[in-house]
Amino acid sequence: MGVLLLLPENAIISLLRNLELLELQLRSTMRGSLFKLGLFLSVLSLFSIPSQSAVSSIDLGSEWLKVAVVNLKPGQSPISIAINEMSKRKSSALVAFQSGTRLLGEEAAGIVARYPSKVYSNLREMVGKPFKHVKNFVDSMYLPFDIVEDYRGAVGIKTDDGTIYSVEELLAMILSYGMNLAEIHSKVPVKDAVISVPPYFGQAERRGLLQAAQLAGINALSLINEHSGAALQYGIDKDFSNGSRHVIFYDMGAGSTYAVLVYFSAYNAKEYGKTVSVNQFQVKDVRWDPDLGGQNMESRLVEYFADEFNKQVRNGVDVRNSPKAMAKLKKQVKRTKEILSANTMAPISVESFYDDRDFRSSITREKFEKLCNDLWDRALAPMKEVLRHSNLTVDEIYAVELIGGATRVPKLQAKLQEFLGRNEPDKHLDADEAIVLGSALHAANLSDGIKLNRKLGMVDGSSYGFLVELDGLDLLKDDTTRQLLVPRMKKLPIKMFRSFIHNKDFEVSLAYENEDLLPPGVTSPIFAQYSVSGVTDASEKYSSRNLSSPIKTNLHFSLSRSGIISLDQAAAVIEISEWVEVPKKNLTVENETNTSPNISVDAGAKNSSEENTDNVHLNANYAIAPNSTEEPSTSDLGTEKKLKKRTFRVKLKVVEKTVGTGMPLSKEVLAEAKGKLESLVKRDAERRRTAELKNSLEAYIYATKEKLETSEEFQKVASSDERKAFIEKLDEAQDWLYTDGEDATATEFQERLDLLKAIGDPIFFRYKELSARPAAMKLAQRYLDEQQQIVSDWENDKPWLPKDKVDEVVNDVQKFKSWLDEKEAEQNQASGFITPVLTSEEVYGKVSSLEDKVVSIKKISKPKPKIKKPIEKETDSSGDENKTNSAPEDKSSEDDKPAGDSDGPANSASTEGEVNPEPESYDEL
């Protein structure tokens, strides 16, 4: 199946013209229908491209954004990293607003040193967090954001124009930027994506990120824990059928650290009737430190160099009070830390650091490691906890894979090696891209349109355990009203239900199981609340009935693949027992003497307490004897009372009433946010269009002026006065461009460009024809010579061609040749400053028209030779025989011969000279 690309008309004309030119050049060596067929197929292939579908994965980190695309295009890797506009494989996870313009990714990174208060970073660590927690984080990182507290107690970021954006809105901008990279990379629309999250993300963070994806117009197939993405990438190309293994993935990124224990194994499954081995992995445990990462090391360097600069300047100066200076220092410190990973000493240089003072210094690796001395032991804590809780020793761990950019620090690697007792930790995965590539595998598995051949089963678990607790009027608190709903590391996804006995409306709370293990910034274990109503009404409605058991409420919960737990629905279950009148029937058998002696009938009917059941118990050997002449009869014996049990299920109303930072954005807020984002997208598109048109105008001015002033060829097609007037117009446009045009709109740039092209296009057309026309005439002349030879050869090679058609071609060739000579003479006499008398387009048109006629004649096939039928000779009136067509002698007796047809012709004769009539014909049966 293909899709048709609609190209502009001028592009199609240009393409066809070039193909005609190519055909003329090759005609002398490649003649015939095969060349024409190949040329047609080449053109067709340019317009027909197979339709493709693609899915994406997004690794959203504290500082960086990485995007992978799964796109099953022939001849390329099915999974690849999408590069950004700077040809980088990872992009800065930044949003900036400068002079009313929104900047994303690398554009935002370009202004962070000059306008630090307008560039927003570390947004992932702010989503779903209380305002106080984020405020402390922002201050510790010297981030000069203007943050406010929103109606949920969460964070809003206020821009210079007074607009307040929620963290979800800013994250939506970054996610949308990532999906745009995916579409540019794959060259097809991409809407489906899997987004990776750190394992310590709680319910508020996960729900906030999904709402950000919704605002970005992304169909989030799922969230995936970062460690599961890395485990997928690790196991996809390995075989575990010969032995299972435990692997620890240790990740230290910019803002967090975690260690996860994963068990890889294989199981047998049936596939197309064959037993195959299928690889799988299960996440056994994960432990983390959400406040430890590469940024902590950079902060130590920032503080060290800030103190050093303050000592140099003295006079009570504290560079920490200057947001711009601290932004410059932080930017240079990142480079210094990277240099120290490969060298024992690294310099630092900051131009115009503070008050026009430059700052230069250096630091040794030994000094850096000493500054971070307390961090190294802290970094081992997640690894130690995983081993302790799993009851495994270091020797039972097959491999320890390092991921995350901060794991490149030599001191950290040395500490890990020392703890593990190994010469070197395992580095089979790309520290930066393992998560996003593995997440792309998960996206392909969840997608309907893309399937990969390799399979790897994934059993991930919930990072937190969850409790359910009920509260309501007259509700007695006991073990049934507070239960463990999901134990920690319970597999994802799963559905559950719990039953409670209560006859009044109540409330449901969901909480984290362990108050000592809460997401960062969370102070209360309760994260979601629901009101369940309708129980009271149902109780009042059915209380007057004979209840066989207390009213019971069933609550249905689900733990999604994204790790989000929710109360989906609730129903009240009412069981009633009632005595009802039912027909009383009895089965009798008459004429028992006709029944076989070994047949017995138990005709006693019993009342049943089962719902809607009337049972007649018969002997298992009951049968009607073969000689029986009477049928059993059923007689109506009146009615009787039976105890009947009926069950009613009443759907209850469930309303979420979560408050605080855990509450999701309302539908109204989401709609308003979506409108703001769509407006920004339109403004961005207009800004890009304005920039493109401005660049086009600027490029046109400079290129045209250079050609008019320096090219001798332009002097042949434009008079000095015309060139001078045109240059004046170009200078005028150039002056406007750098004055009033600085703030011009896209429409104004387009108008200026159109005005200049209206003057320049005729000149450029004449300039193009200087070379295009001679080339066209040369090829046309060669074509005419070839056609004269072809027509001449037709007389010997194809004598069957109609003479009038051949003569028509001869006349057309001669007319074309005369027209070409006449126009060429006129053009030679004409001035180069006017519109050409003869154009290359006209020449190609004449050639194409003549070629069509020649091809149509060449297609006339040679007529098939006529087959002469034998001439039948009949006996003339004098009785002569046609001996050449005489039939074989009939040896049968005359009695056996069929009767002759008196009207049939005598077309055969016997040897005795008798004329035998033609035998009758019979239809074949």
Side-chain angles (χ1 to χ4, degrees):
M1 182 178 178
V3 293
L4 189 64
L5 293 181
L6 299 178
L7 300 179
E9 183 179 359
N10 58 348
I12 297 176
I13 294 173
S14 176
L15 174 64
L16 295 176
R17 188 173 297 160
N18 290 335
L19 290 172
E20 291 172 356
L21 187 64
L22 176 63
E23 182 184 359
L24 289 172
Q25 291 174 329
L26 296 178
R27 186 177 298 280
S28 59
T29 56
M30 299 180 65
R31 296 178 181 175
S33 60
L34 288 178
F35 173 72
K36 293 290 288 183
L37 177 61
L39 190 66
F40 171 77
L41 293 177
S42 298
V43 176
L44 189 62
S45 67
L46 295 175
F47 292 87
S48 181
I49 297 178
S51 60
Q52 301 286 343
S53 61
V55 295
S56 176
S57 64
I58 299 176
D59 179 13
L60 177 63
S62 300
E63 293 184 342
W64 301 101
L65 175 78
K66 281 147 281 187
V67 179
V69 178
V70 185
N71 191 12
L72 302 183
K73 279 187 176 181
Q76 74 172 34
S77 174
I79 301 178
S80 55
I81 300 294
I83 60 174
N84 63 20
E85 63 273 18
M86 304 296 290
S87 298
K88 295 180 180 179
R89 297 172 70 86
K90 62 180 182 179
S91 305
S92 299
L94 301 174
V95 180
F97 290 91
Q98 166 63 14
S99 301
T101 300
R102 183 181 66 166
L103 305 175
L104 300 171
E106 297 305 306
E107 282 188 323
I111 68 168
V112 68
R114 289 177 294 161
Y115 308 103
S117 63
K118 301 178 181 181
V119 183
Y120 310 114
S121 61
N122 290 277
L123 295 169
R124 189 193 73 170
E125 306 308 322
M126 301 181 191
V127 65
K129 303 288 197 307
F131 174 81
K132 184 178 180 180
H133 176 82
V134 176
K135 176 64 176 173
N136 293 334
F137 171 75
V138 166
D139 292 341
S140 68
M141 295 293 294
Y142 299 106
L143 300 175
F145 301 162
D146 186 3
I147 62 174
V148 296
E149 188 172 4
D150 70 7
Y151 67 96
R152 302 172 296 172
V155 174
I157 295 181
K158 188 176 182 179
T159 61
D160 288 347
D161 62 359
T163 304
I164 297 176
Y165 293 98
S166 65
V167 178
E168 287 88 343
E169 289 175 292
L170 296 177
L171 282 175
M173 299 177 195
I174 295 176
L175 294 175
S176 179
Y177 169 76
M179 291 299 284
N180 186 51
L181 295 181
E183 291 192 348
I184 293 174
H185 179 77
S186 62
K187 298 180 176 59
V188 294
V190 182
K191 294 298 180 185
D192 299 338
V194 164
I195 305 171
S196 64
V197 295
Y200 57 82
F201 257 30
Q203 296 296 295
E205 294 97 323
R206 292 172 186 264
R207 294 177 74 171
L209 195 53
L210 284 180
Q211 285 203 315
Q214 180 184 351
L215 286 173
I218 299 173
N219 177 31
L221 299 173
S222 173
L223 301 180
I224 183 174
N225 289 320
E226 291 176 347
H227 54 262
S228 294
L232 275 168
Q233 179 66 6
Y234 174 85
I236 193 64
D237 59 351
K238 294 177 176 60
D239 183 9
F240 305 108
S241 59
N242 296 326
S244 57
R245 64 182 70 168
H246 285 97
V247 178
I248 288 181
F249 294 89
Y250 181 87
D251 184 343
M252 180 181 281
S256 61
T257 302
Y258 61 81
V260 57
L261 177 66
V262 180
Y263 178 65
F264 290 89
S265 60
Y267 65 93
N268 292 329
K270 288 288 186 180
E271 189 172 291
Y272 302 111
K274 296 182 180 180
T275 301
V276 296
S277 178
V278 180
N279 291 332
Q280 67 173 354
F281 72 84
Q282 181 178 1
V283 179
K284 292 292 187 179
D285 194 17
V286 59
R287 304 287 163 168
W288 58 77
D289 186 337
D291 302 317
L292 175 64
Q295 289 179 344
N296 298 74
M297 304 176 197
E298 294 168 9
S299 294
R300 301 296 171 88
L301 289 174
V302 168
E303 298 295 338
Y304 173 78
F305 287 121
D307 287 339
E308 184 175 338
F309 180 79
N310 290 341
K311 291 177 182 178
Q312 292 178 6
V313 178
R314 298 181 181 180
N315 298 327
V317 170
D318 189 353
V319 73
R320 296 177 179 85
N321 296 326
S322 172
K324 185 175 292 187
M326 293 303 288
K328 291 180 179 179
L329 181 58
K330 287 167 60 178
K331 183 177 181 180
Q332 293 301 319
V333 156
K334 287 182 180 294
R335 295 187 57 200
T336 300
K337 190 189 76 169
E338 292 172 359
I339 294 173
L340 286 174
S341 296
N343 301 274
T344 57
M345 191 275 292
I348 185 170
S349 177
V350 186
E351 301 292 334
S352 300
F353 179 43
Y354 179 81
D355 197 19
D356 291 332
R357 290 174 179 264
D358 297 338
F359 174 63
R360 289 178 177 83
S361 183
S362 63
I363 189 171
T364 63
R365 181 189 290 178
E366 183 181 1
K367 180 65 176 178
F368 165 66
E369 292 173 355
K370 187 176 180 181
L371 291 173
C372 302
N373 192 50
D374 61 311
L375 300 181
W376 310 127
D377 290 334
R378 183 177 164 189
L380 294 178
M383 178 87 71
K384 293 178 180 178
E385 289 183 29
V386 162
L387 291 173
R388 181 165 58 86
H389 286 88
S390 63
N391 295 320
L392 294 175
T393 65
V394 171
D395 294 335
E396 293 176 284
I397 303 301
Y398 179 86
V400 177
E401 292 287 342
L402 302 186
I403 53 179
T407 57
R408 296 189 178 96
V409 176
K411 183 63 175 180
L412 176 62
Q413 294 185 7
K415 294 293 288 186
L416 289 170
Q417 292 169 23
E418 179 184 349
F419 172 73
L420 297 170
R422 304 187 182 193
N423 294 329
E424 188 176 341
D426 299 280
K427 302 175 186 176
H428 299 109
L429 299 176
D430 187 300
D432 286 327
E433 298 176 357
I435 293 173
V436 73
L437 291 173
S439 300
L441 291 168
H442 190 49
N445 185 53
L446 296 179
S447 171
D448 294 331
I450 293 180
K451 296 298 177 186
L452 300 178
N453 293 329
R454 291 183 177 271
K455 294 181 180 179
L456 179 62
M458 182 180 82
V459 181
D460 199 357
S462 173
S463 301
Y464 298 95
F466 302 113
L467 299 172
V468 58
E469 185 172 2
L470 276 70
D471 190 18
L473 187 64
D474 299 333
L475 184 64
L476 179 63
K477 295 297 185 74
D478 56 18
D479 291 341
T480 62
T481 58
R482 180 180 171 86
Q483 298 183 17
L484 177 62
L485 186 60
V486 178
R488 189 171 184 273
M489 301 313 301
K490 182 70 174 178
K491 71 174 183 178
L492 307 172
I494 190 172
K495 292 184 179 293
M496 307 141 287
F497 86 96
R498 293 290 186 273
S499 294
F500 301 92
I501 295 177
H502 192 52
N503 60 359
K504 291 184 175 62
D505 296 345
F506 58 92
E507 293 188 347
V508 178
S509 297
L510 295 177
Y512 295 106
E513 174 191 9
N514 189 349
E515 294 190 20
D516 296 329
L517 184 65
L518 298 176
V522 173
T523 56
S524 172
I526 297 176
F527 58 82
Q529 293 176 305
Y530 304 86
S531 66
V532 179
S533 59
V535 184
T536 303
D537 293 341
S539 300
E540 292 176 354
K541 180 178 180 181
Y542 295 99
S543 60
S544 60
R545 312 283 284 273
N546 184 25
L547 295 177
S548 60
S549 62
I551 292 179
K552 181 173 61 177
T553 300
N554 289 342
L555 302 178
H556 295 262
F557 301 90
S558 66
L559 180 61
S560 73
R561 186 177 280 109
S562 298
I564 297 175
I565 189 170
S566 59
L567 172 58
D568 298 331
Q569 59 179 345
V573 180
I574 302 105
E575 294 182 350
I576 298 175
S577 297
E578 295 178 322
W579 291 97
V580 295
E581 295 282 345
V582 296
K584 184 177 181 181
K585 297 181 180 179
N586 191 11
L587 186 63
T588 60
V589 180
E590 298 181 2
N591 300 327
E592 292 184 359
T593 56
N594 296 331
T595 305
S596 176
N598 65 340
I599 302 301
S600 64
V601 178
D602 182 5
K606 297 181 180 181
N607 292 335
S608 172
S609 61
E610 296 295 328
E611 182 179 348
N612 297 327
T613 304
D614 294 324
N615 291 332
V616 178
H617 299 280
L618 303 179
N619 187 290
N621 293 324
Y622 173 82
I624 302 299
N627 58 351
S628 174
T629 58
E630 296 291 333
E631 295 290 333
S633 63
T634 302
S635 60
D636 189 355
L637 302 180
T639 61
E640 62 180 350
K641 286 189 176 182
K642 290 186 63 176
L643 188 64
K644 187 174 183 181
K645 183 186 294 182
R646 304 179 66 186
T647 302
F648 299 90
R649 285 179 174 81
V650 178
K651 186 176 181 180
L652 303 177
K653 184 178 181 181
V654 177
V655 177
E656 182 174 2
K657 45 180 290 186
T658 304
V659 295
T661 55
M663 67 182 298
L665 297 174
S666 65
K667 291 182 179 180
E668 295 76 17
V669 174
L670 278 174
E672 181 183 354
K674 201 162 187 65
K676 286 162 60 177
L677 294 179
E678 289 174 353
S679 176
L680 286 172
V681 169
K682 291 179 180 178
R683 283 165 53 186
D684 288 347
E686 182 66 17
R687 178 173 64 89
R688 287 193 298 270
R689 179 170 174 264
T690 301
E692 290 170 0
L693 286 172
K694 182 178 181 179
N695 291 337
S696 297
L697 177 59
E698 186 176 35
Y700 184 86
I701 291 171
Y702 279 101
T704 304
K705 283 181 64 176
E706 182 182 5
K707 290 177 180 178
L708 291 174
E709 293 173 348
T710 62
S711 175
E712 294 182 0
E713 295 296 319
F714 270 86
Q715 297 177 12
K716 299 178 181 179
V717 295
S719 64
S720 59
D721 291 340
E722 187 178 14
R723 282 184 280 118
K724 181 179 179 181
F726 192 18
I727 291 174
E728 289 178 355
K729 289 291 185 181
L730 293 170
D731 289 337
E732 179 183 335
Q734 183 176 340
D735 293 339
W736 173 85
L737 187 64
Y738 299 122
T739 54
D740 297 338
E742 286 290 343
D743 300 321
T745 63
T747 303
E748 291 175 299
F749 287 123
Q750 185 67 63
E751 290 174 351
R752 289 275 177 170
L753 185 59
D754 291 343
L755 287 174
L756 294 178
K757 284 187 173 183
I759 301 173
D761 283 354
I763 300 176
F764 279 101
F765 178 73
R766 299 196 296 268
Y767 170 76
K768 180 183 71 70
E769 285 295 314
L770 281 180
S771 57
R773 184 174 55 250
M777 293 177 63
K778 183 177 180 180
L779 288 171
Q781 192 63 54
R782 184 187 304 170
Y783 176 78
L784 290 175
D785 294 340
E786 290 177 359
Q787 288 306 316
Q788 288 179 334
Q789 182 62 43
I790 290 173
V791 173
S792 177
D793 293 342
W794 281 351
E795 184 176 350
N796 297 324
D797 299 339
K798 297 185 176 184
W800 63 84
L801 295 179
K803 188 176 184 303
D804 58 334
K805 297 290 186 181
V806 175
D807 291 342
E808 186 177 346
V809 171
V810 172
N811 292 334
D812 287 346
V813 169
Q814 188 59 44
K815 289 179 181 178
F816 184 19
K817 187 174 181 62
S818 300
W819 176 85
L820 198 62
D821 293 339
E822 178 184 346
K823 290 295 182 180
E824 184 178 13
E826 291 182 23
Q827 182 60 48
N828 291 336
Q829 297 296 322
S831 169
F833 304 157
I834 63 173
T835 303
V837 176
L838 176 64
T839 65
S840 58
E841 185 176 359
E842 291 178 294
V843 175
Y844 288 127
K846 293 281 187 180
V847 171
S848 178
S849 177
L850 181 59
E851 172 65 7
D852 290 341
K853 182 172 291 187
V854 171
V855 169
S856 65
I857 296 176
K858 287 170 64 176
K859 288 181 179 178
I860 299 176
S861 58
K862 183 178 180 180
K864 296 181 180 179
K866 296 181 179 180
I867 301 176
K868 296 182 180 180
K869 296 182 180 180
I871 301 175
E872 297 181 353
K873 296 182 179 180
E874 298 181 356
T875 305
D876 58 14
S877 57
S878 61
D880 294 336
E881 294 175 306
N882 181 3
K883 295 183 179 180
T884 59
N885 291 327
S886 61
E889 182 177 314
D890 190 351
K891 297 181 180 180
S892 61
S893 63
E894 290 184 7
D895 295 337
D896 295 332
K897 293 178 182 178
D901 186 352
S902 59
D903 296 330
N907 58 357
S908 61
S910 67
T911 54
E912 292 81 14
E914 296 177 354
V915 177
N916 295 325
E918 182 179 355
E920 288 186 33
S921 61
Y922 293 88
D923 290 337
E924 184 175 342
L925 296 179

